[in-house]
Amino acid sequence: MISHPSRQCTVELQALPSRIGQVRRIVSAQLRYWHMDLLIDRAVLGVTELLTNVHLHARPDKTCTVEMELLLDRLTVSVRDHDPHLPVVDDAEPLATCGRGLAMVAAMSESWGARPEGEAGKVVWFTLPTSVTAAPPIPPPVPARAPRRLVEEVPAAAFAEVEHAVDLGSRQPAPARSAVAG
């Protein structure tokens, strides 16, 4: 079996709100570099939720490592922290302002999970498929423009009708128009 080399990116950080924004930018830039632009929104959402959980729940410290691994058919994003307690998916109340992070990760990813690493902590991860399963929508055809007619093809009677509709005998000032757009 031929092994395809993977592409990896690792970032170690303190899961503080200011650093989470930096990691989002790093994830976006790395996916652009890998030409995986279609994965950016979901990867950034997922890593934001996982880092927010570290910030809110991890003990004893907020130090963590974000790893991205791009294989031929999937992107795996994982967050490793030093808290051995595995995350719990909450059933958030309809008006709750928090408690939906892991549910969102589950909804937008192909798969996700958490694995303990003993006293060293845990890893929470999710995967995204790298192949697009649906073809992009095909735009509707643009209607063909009506062929232009040459001046000599316009019947002279059409100009006569316009001349009678406009009273050329009275002098009316033309409406004012500005030369400046807007």
Side-chain angles (χ1 to χ4, degrees):
M1 181 159 114
I2 297 175
S3 160
H4 296 283
S6 67
R7 295 183 256 181
Q8 296 179 338
C9 175
T10 303
V11 179
E12 189 170 334
L13 69 139
Q14 288 280 64
L16 302 172
S18 61
R19 295 299 313 252
I20 294 171
Q22 291 173 337
V23 172
R24 283 195 305 260
R25 288 187 291 279
I26 291 168
V27 167
S28 296
Q30 187 64 53
L31 289 173
R32 279 189 197 94
Y33 178 75
W34 286 339
H35 304 288
M36 291 287 145
D37 297 45
L38 293 174
L39 301 179
I40 291 173
D41 290 340
R42 291 185 295 154
V44 166
L45 173 65
V47 79
T48 300
E49 294 304 328
L50 297 185
L51 289 174
T52 300
N53 281 351
V54 173
H55 174 69
L56 295 176
H57 306 293
R59 304 284 181 256
D61 64 30
K62 308 299 181 192
T63 302
C64 63
T65 303
V66 175
E67 297 174 339
M68 292 192 322
E69 183 177 34
L70 180 63
L71 298 173
L72 188 60
D73 62 341
R74 87 176 90 52
L75 171 72
T76 301
V77 179
S78 59
V79 175
R80 175 177 280 108
D81 66 47
H82 300 288
D83 187 349
H85 297 98
L86 294 177
V88 176
V89 179
D90 287 335
D91 288 330
E93 294 294 320
L95 299 177
T97 58
C98 60
R100 293 183 180 85
L102 290 175
M104 285 195 313
V105 170
M108 63 87 194
S109 65
E110 179 179 61
S111 61
W112 78 280
R115 67 178 177 271
E117 294 197 325
E119 293 302 313
K122 67 178 170 298
V123 176
V124 183
W125 55 271
F126 64 90
T127 64
L128 300 172
T130 58
S131 61
V132 178
T133 56
I138 299 171
V142 177
R145 186 176 194 178
R148 293 184 176 193
R149 297 187 310 183
L150 297 175
V151 173
E152 55 268 6
E153 293 181 47
V154 177
F159 290 109
E161 292 171 14
V162 172
E163 184 178 327
H164 293 299
V166 177
D167 183 8
L168 298 176
S170 65
R171 295 186 172 234
Q172 299 273 337
R177 293 199 283 182
S178 173
V180 178

